[in-house]
Amino acid sequence: MSPEHVVRRGETADGTFALVITPETAGWGYSSLRVLELGAGESATFATGEDEMVVLPLAGACTVACDGETFELAGRRGVFTRVTDFAYVPRDAEVTVSSTDGGRFALPAARATRRLPARYGPAEKVSVELRGAGQSSRQVNNFCMPGTFDADKLIAVEVLTPGSNWSSFPPHKHDEDTATESVLEEVYYFEVENDGPGFQRVYTSGPGREIDVCTEVRSGDTVLIPHGWHGPSMATPGYHLYYLNVMAGPGAERAWRICDDPAHGWVRDTWADQEIDPRLPLTTTEESAHPALTTTEEKA
């Protein structure tokens, strides 16, 4: 076990923030995540500093004010009910988030060099992928990926895994600068349906990079991945698993390139004759926990 890589719910709470992970507290250079909790009628004002951020509703609706712009986010009842809209806010800005009914709002962020304009991201424009097959099936909401939404350094996605399925498998890594891999620090923030248990594995990818995590995760827990193979993320029977991935790194190109653990890469070949889990997608832009299959099936 590597306790420095696991942050339990509430361990880094600070005022209205239920979670605070910064590059400084994580011991790296780029990726960060905060989770803001607001009661009914409350608001919070903060400076972004050197970080570009996304305001991503986890539960509830909010208004985001930044750079003279105001964005009304419809949000959602929870991460298992729909794909949400969001707002992008740049570095060197003052941001106010307010909520009439209260809620929880994730602030995935990255240390940025360019200052881009504040923008609204509609839920209907979020690219939803179904990856894998069989019990390796999962849903990926690519709300802030290269090619889907412009940012300087920040890469962020949501992954939803039906109960009994495995995500992030084969295990993969992104800790070397090569033609097929990019260097990205990564935050995994978890929520589990009905606050059940899930599990996460992270392990060493090379000499001098010792890491050994195999831990139970529950709603509000976070796993930090500075390097190494990571996966699987395991959804236990009866409990759907959600995680928010936040990634950023030093590369001049904003790119997500990964390398499979060669000991397990062969598993991808078994997906060809399997169907995607019919429970997917777990969420669409409609407020429904179990919608019909409406997105394009992908087994990559």
Side-chain angles (χ1 to χ4, degrees):
M1 182 68 174
S2 302
E4 69 272 24
H5 299 111
V6 180
V7 179
R8 297 301 178 192
R9 177 171 52 193
E11 284 185 347
T12 63
D14 183 9
T16 56
F17 292 99
L19 172 74
V20 179
I21 301 294
T22 68
E24 291 75 20
T25 61
W28 55 34
Y30 296 91
S31 299
S32 62
L33 176 65
R34 294 171 174 82
V35 174
L36 176 65
E37 290 190 349
L38 296 177
E42 291 185 344
S43 65
T45 299
F46 54 89
T48 58
E50 298 177 89
D51 295 338
E52 60 179 349
M53 297 182 181
V54 164
V55 180
L56 181 80
L58 298 171
C62 68
T63 301
V64 179
C66 176
D67 284 359
E69 301 273 3
T70 300
F71 308 108
E72 299 290 342
L73 303 188
R76 53 191 169 185
R77 287 183 292 114
V79 297
F80 297 105
T81 63
R82 64 164 288 179
V83 177
T84 188
D85 53 355
F86 60 95
Y88 171 92
V89 294
R91 61 167 292 164
D92 302 317
E94 184 175 271
V95 181
T96 298
V97 179
S98 55
S99 180
T100 300
D101 297 318
R104 293 192 331 280
F105 309 96
L107 304 174
R111 201 62 37 101
T113 55
R114 293 186 299 147
R115 192 179 197 276
L116 302 177
R119 281 161 289 142
Y120 175 71
E124 294 76 13
K125 294 290 183 68
V126 173
S127 169
V128 176
E129 287 185 78
L130 302 187
R131 294 184 186 167
Q135 286 189 275
S136 295
S137 301
R138 62 273 199 189
Q139 173 183 340
V140 184
N141 300 335
N142 295 303
F143 69 92
C144 191
M145 278 286 287
T148 69
F149 193 84
D150 191 27
D152 181 48
K153 293 285 189 181
L154 178 62
I155 299 173
V157 302
E158 299 179 304
V159 181
L160 294 101
T161 308
S164 301
N165 286 10
W166 288 28
S167 287
S168 292
F169 200 84
H172 60 280
K173 72 180 182 75
H174 37 72
D175 57 19
E176 295 184 90
D177 184 11
T178 69
T180 57
E181 196 173 336
S182 47
V183 178
L184 296 168
E185 309 151 351
E186 188 163 16
V187 179
Y188 271 59
Y189 167 81
F190 296 90
E191 297 206 357
V192 188
E193 192 176 47
N194 298 321
D195 200 26
F199 292 87
Q200 177 66 43
R201 179 78 171 115
V202 188
Y203 56 97
T204 300
S205 61
R209 290 180 164 180
E210 287 71 22
I211 183 171
D212 185 10
V213 173
C214 187
T215 186
E216 178 181 293
V217 291
R218 291 181 179 266
S219 292
D221 289 344
T222 305
V223 174
L224 307 179
I225 304 172
H227 49 75
W229 304 110
H230 41 289
S233 304
M234 295 161 268
T236 53
Y239 298 98
H240 297 327
L241 178 70
Y242 164 97
Y243 51 91
L244 171 62
N245 289 150
V246 184
M247 294 171 276
E253 180 187 6
R254 177 178 172 243
W256 182 68
R257 292 190 291 267
I258 67 168
C259 175
D260 285 343
D261 184 338
H264 304 292
W266 64 269
V267 171
R268 290 187 186 273
D269 296 335
T270 68
W271 298 345
D273 59 354
Q274 298 182 56
E275 297 297 322
I276 287 182
D277 191 316
R279 292 174 292 177
L280 291 171
L282 289 177
T283 62
T284 66
T285 56
E286 300 298 322
E287 189 76 9
S288 172
H290 301 288
L293 184 63
T294 57
T295 57
T296 302
E297 294 189 4
E298 297 193 12
K299 298 186 178 182

